[in-house]
Amino acid sequence: MAMGRCYVTSQRLRVTSLSGACRKRRLAGARGWQLSRKAYGEFRGAVSLRAGGGGPGRQSVPGHLHFEQWPAVFLTWRTTTVSTLQCSIDDDSLFTYDCSTAEKKSPENKGEDGPPVDQGSDTILASTFSTSGSYFALTDDSKRLILFRTKPWQCLSVRMVVRRCTALTFTASEEKVLVADKSGDVYSFSVLEPHGCGKLELGHLSMLLDVAVSPDDLFILTADRDEKIRVSWAAAPHSIEAFCLGHTEFVSRIFVVPDQPELLLSSSGDRTLRLWEYRSGRELHCCHLDTPQEPAEPWGDKRFAAARMVYWHRENCVALLGDGIPVVYIFQLDAPRWQLVYRQQLTFQHRVWDIAFEESQGLWVLQDCREDPLVLWAPVGGQWQSVPENAVLKKVSAHLRGNWAMLEGSAGMTDGFSSLYKATFDNMSTYLKKKEERLQQQLEKKRRKDPPPGPNGQTKKMKSGAGP
């Protein structure tokens, strides 16, 4: 098995192959793609949120570290302040791209007294590989879409986007890359014409958090902050096929089940995992992440969303990584019965940065622990257990420890989705309290003005200066 690792620190992506040739194998990640030897997988950067703003922005709150393990790569991701993108094509070659040196949009002339121009910080906000791994695209905080060819690695174009992006994906045909932004719009950019302008495909009234396409490229699926999943026709995006409604908080992650292309999985800030028949918008099953009968944990009442959702084709397993909590939920998809069956809750001593399935191994977990940064879990006798460290695991862990400075700082960061929850204001209790106080004051004034009647039922009126 060929192994490698890749880490992203803000604008840095680094891939280093650790062994020889690898064979083509089905991707065990979110989209079930087929990857060749030089395809280094796909990673989705966690959204960097503007403090208090509820959306992506320049003032980045540190997000998540994402990790993928496929036949040729480990992938990690986080947002900080470094500005270099590095990828290795072979064992001894390295491709470097510095996002800070990429072409930027000329600042608009605001005048001497105008507001300061927002230049951006070059932080990578989202990125993805194409289905075959032949293309790679990223968007950054400077509102740029940068397209690469991976065989060999080459920057094809640097194009400007209208708004800062939250997610992007390639179509199955690899002719377009779809970019979702924080204003709720989806733009398409041609891959065949790498310098072509973007085309507005569809729009929402709220910020988009994820975008996906059906395996036949017929539908574009979008998830937004206002609890909705929209299914639109790709040929005519203004024509909406269905809405998948049922979540009570923002929808953080969606993906089409690789071996069941008519089914969609979604996760949300309402702590649920839902299964949909997305063409009809019908909800088939709903699992609550707080229902498993486990001992009480400190995060039991904490609000969280799934920061990562991965799928294991061999066992039909779905793994969810909670945002900001060291817990991974394992479910099994029973496709014939359209059900999700809870299997196990994996709890870790350290913050979990990311997870990924590898078809022949199991679940790889990258955690904030320098002594033991990488662990492998697999089902043994119906229960998920930690696999003893093997030669490959030792080699990769040693490589991670040698570059630990790139990974430091990801633990203890603010939760990436914390500002997306609906704010509730209980102003009725204050109103009722003040109303009761006013009524009491009015009653007291009335009592002072009109004293109570005497014993004979009439009020005595005493005249000033009157005798007995």
Side-chain angles (χ1 to χ4, degrees), residues 46-48 61-65 77-79 351 353 410 413-416:
V47 177
S48 171
V61 176
H64 310 282
L65 177 71
W77 156 268
R78 75 180 175 97
T79 55
R351 180 186 177 98
W353 281 331
S410 294
M413 294 180 175
T414 304
D415 297 345

Side-chain angles (χ1 to χ4, degrees), residues 23-55:
R23 60 184 181 274
K24 191 173 182 180
R25 187 182 300 169
R26 171 172 288 274
L27 169 68
R31 303 191 186 282
W33 295 343
Q34 295 285 337
L35 298 184
S36 62
R37 180 175 182 269
K38 294 182 182 178
Y40 290 99
E42 179 267 351
F43 67 91
R44 179 173 295 113
V47 177
S48 171
L49 300 179
R50 176 171 298 166

Side-chain angles (χ1 to χ4, degrees), residues 5 7-9 12 14 65 67 76 78 80 82 350-354 365-375 396-413:
R5 67 160 173 90
Y7 55 83
V8 174
T9 305
R12 174 169 292 177
R14 182 170 181 173
L65 177 71
F67 168 79
T76 64
R78 75 180 175 97
T80 54
V82 187
H350 305 277
R351 180 186 177 98
V352 177
W353 281 331
D354 212 346
V365 179
L366 184 68
Q367 59 182 354
D368 179 30
C369 177
R370 184 165 186 169
E371 293 73 21
D372 195 16
L374 186 64
V375 292
V396 177
S397 297
H399 208 61
L400 289 172
R401 284 191 290 269
N403 293 273
W404 194 251
M406 290 293 178
L407 308 178
E408 284 182 321
S410 294
M413 294 180 175

Side-chain angles (χ1 to χ4, degrees), residues 436-447:
E436 182 66 24
E437 291 176 355
R438 288 197 303 270
L439 291 176
Q440 292 295 334
Q441 291 175 0
Q442 292 175 1
L443 183 59
E444 186 65 23
K445 288 181 180 179
K446 186 175 181 181
R447 288 176 179 175

